[in-house]
Amino acid sequence: MAIFMLFLGARSQLTPYFYERTCPNLLNIVRYKVEKAFFKEIRMAASLLRLHFHDCFVNGCDGSILLDVRDGEKFSLSNLNSVRGFEVVDDIKRAVEYECSGVVSCADILAIAARDSVVITGGPTWNVLLGRRDGFVSSKAAANISIPSAFDSLNNIISKFKKVGLDVTDVVSLSGSHTIGLARCAAFNNRLFNFEQTGRPDSSMDPHMLFQLQLLCPNVSSYSADLDSEIGNLTTPLDRDSPIGYPPNDFDNHYFQNLLNRKALLTSDQVLLNS
């Protein structure tokens, strides 16, 4: 029994070489599929990175965000009609299953796809630790209280990170992933007209950027709920102020320059300067 328990402990350790013998072509398959999806829609890199991030904040990185269950994580406030990339993960999973059936977890596929999404947009690479097991529980309620929101205060964000073993340095560095991707008007229009019920815009936002966003996302809620919903789904780059020649899907440190220049898009980004 003691030997068996030691064996279990060894098997539970994550390692970059977990599938070296059982699925040696795994990394090539995932990379090819991520590149294919990216060249079809460059926004997909940010979507896959976000999908992994949202998965990890609920019961760990267990792939439970992928489960199609009633009241599952897909239907939480942060994910419903917002989180994307499920069809790409399905495509990767089919290709992996064809190569090595019943071996690779969906949780590991999400982790590899997130890394490849950063690399393909010009960011750093790292060895992905593998050997996760897929979860079988997916909870909308758990996701609602666990996933950091665009509207969260700094204290709430730090608290949610701490609950999954991450510190303030992780808050800052992982927020930098907002150097790529798009955000819907619904995620930041709280800053444009009536910030914190003051009747005025958020004074911490750059005035020129504020004016541009007000044109993109006009305040029409008092006229038509349908029109308000339609405008809420309009999108703009999270990094709206990339230098000329640097598209908003380049993974660089310009996000942090935006913060210092009062050009962060989301409340949850700008509050990083409030402490």
Side-chain angles (χ1 to χ4, degrees):
M1 178 61 74
I3 293 173
F4 176 72
M5 293 305 293
L6 286 172
F7 174 76
L8 269 184
R11 292 286 294 174
S12 68
Q13 298 300 310
L14 301 185
T15 168
Y17 313 107
F18 191 83
Y19 300 108
E20 191 172 46
R21 294 183 179 179
T22 56
C23 196
N25 203 31
L26 171 63
L27 298 183
N28 291 330
I29 295 172
V30 177
R31 182 171 62 250
Y32 170 75
K33 289 295 185 179
V34 169
E35 289 175 349
K36 179 181 176 183
F38 175 75
F39 290 122
K40 182 178 180 181
E41 182 192 9
I42 59 175
R43 180 187 179 189
M44 188 53 66
S47 297
L48 291 172
L49 179 58
R50 183 169 181 252
L51 187 60
H52 178 52
F53 180 85
H54 281 211
D55 177 48
C56 290
F57 267 77
V58 187
N59 299 323
C61 310
D62 64 350
S64 57
I65 195 172
L66 304 173
L67 296 177
D68 291 313
V69 295
R70 183 178 180 181
D71 291 330
E73 294 169 39
K74 286 185 178 182
F75 302 99
S76 67
L77 294 174
S78 293
N79 293 333
L80 184 62
N81 299 322
S82 176
V83 77
R84 311 167 69 249
F86 295 110
E87 71 283 359
V88 176
V89 177
D90 288 343
D91 188 39
I92 297 172
K93 180 63 172 175
R94 280 192 294 269
V96 170
E97 285 296 302
Y98 182 82
E99 178 80 11
C100 35
S101 179
V103 173
V104 181
S105 67
C106 292
D108 278 341
I109 287 175
L110 281 178
I112 300 168
R115 187 272 309 274
D116 291 348
S117 295
V118 172
V119 172
I120 201 173
T121 50
T125 189
W126 62 90
N127 288 327
V128 180
L129 300 179
L130 303 170
R132 298 167 186 80
R133 294 308 181 202
D134 289 331
F136 297 97
V137 176
S138 184
S139 168
K140 170 184 173 181
N144 280 337
I145 64 174
S146 301
I147 299 175
S149 163
F151 309 105
D152 274 345
S153 68
L154 181 60
N155 286 338
N156 282 343
I157 294 171
I158 292 174
S159 175
K160 290 179 179 180
F161 271 67
K162 283 184 176 180
K163 288 178 180 177
V164 293
L166 301 173
D167 60 20
V168 175
T169 299
D170 297 314
V171 171
V172 176
S173 59
L174 291 177
S175 294
S177 66
H178 286 170
T179 186
I180 59 173
L182 305 176
R184 298 185 301 160
C185 288
F188 58 84
N189 60 8
N190 64 305
R191 303 183 66 196
L192 304 183
F193 301 99
N194 186 25
F195 184 61
E196 296 183 344
Q197 305 302 313
T198 61
R200 296 185 300 274
D202 185 351
S203 60
S204 67
M205 182 180 288
D206 173 78
H208 179 64
M209 178 174 164
L210 173 65
F211 176 72
Q212 291 180 320
L213 292 175
Q214 287 175 332
L215 292 179
L216 174 69
C217 314
N219 187 17
V220 297
S221 57
S222 58
Y223 298 100
S224 167
D226 290 338
L227 183 58
D228 184 46
S229 176
E230 182 178 338
I231 291 174
N233 285 319
L234 295 176
T235 59
T236 190
L238 283 159
D239 181 1
R240 288 178 49 86
D241 200 41
S242 287
I244 295 175
Y246 291 82
N249 278 289
D250 271 9
F251 201 101
D252 53 29
N253 72 345
H254 201 255
Y255 164 86
F256 299 103
Q257 298 175 41
N258 287 343
L259 286 185
L260 296 175
N261 293 323
R262 300 166 57 199
K263 292 183 177 181
L265 192 61
L266 307 179
T267 301
S268 56
D269 291 326
Q270 195 61 50
V271 295
L272 295 183
L273 289 181
N274 290 353
S275 170

